[in-house]
Amino acid sequence: MGTRSVIGYPTETGFEGYYVHWDGYPSGVGAEVFTLFNKLGEEGFRKFLSQNPDGFSAFPDAPYTYEPSEVSLMNETEAVSCGCEYAYVLK
C-alpha cells in the first residue's frame, strides 16, 4: 500500500494540489520536494508540477499518465478524501 501525499499551493480561490501515491513520508516525498524546490526555485517548481497535472506515482520521476478527463488538480476536499497522509504546501 502506498503512503499517499499531496503537493500543493494556495491560489486565489483556495488550493491546488498534485497527488503522489508512493513514499509520501517526509523522508521520501518531503525530502524530494525540499531538494527540487531549492534547485528550481518557486517558479520552476510550480512549472514542473504543472507539467504533470495527473500527479505522480512516485515523485518526481514517475508521473501518472491518464487521459485528461480522468484526473484533475485536487482541491482541499479532494486531498482529504483521497486518504492522503501527508501534505506539502508551498507558501
Side-chain angles (χ1 to χ4, degrees), residues 57-88:
S57 176
F59 184 81
D61 300 322
Y64 278 127
T65 53
Y66 293 114
E67 292 298 318
S69 62
E70 292 183 60
V71 187
S72 61
L73 295 176
M74 300 173 82
N75 62 32
E76 298 98 324
T77 304
E78 292 164 331
V80 171
S81 67
C82 80
C84 290
E85 287 100 350
Y86 294 91
Y88 302 96

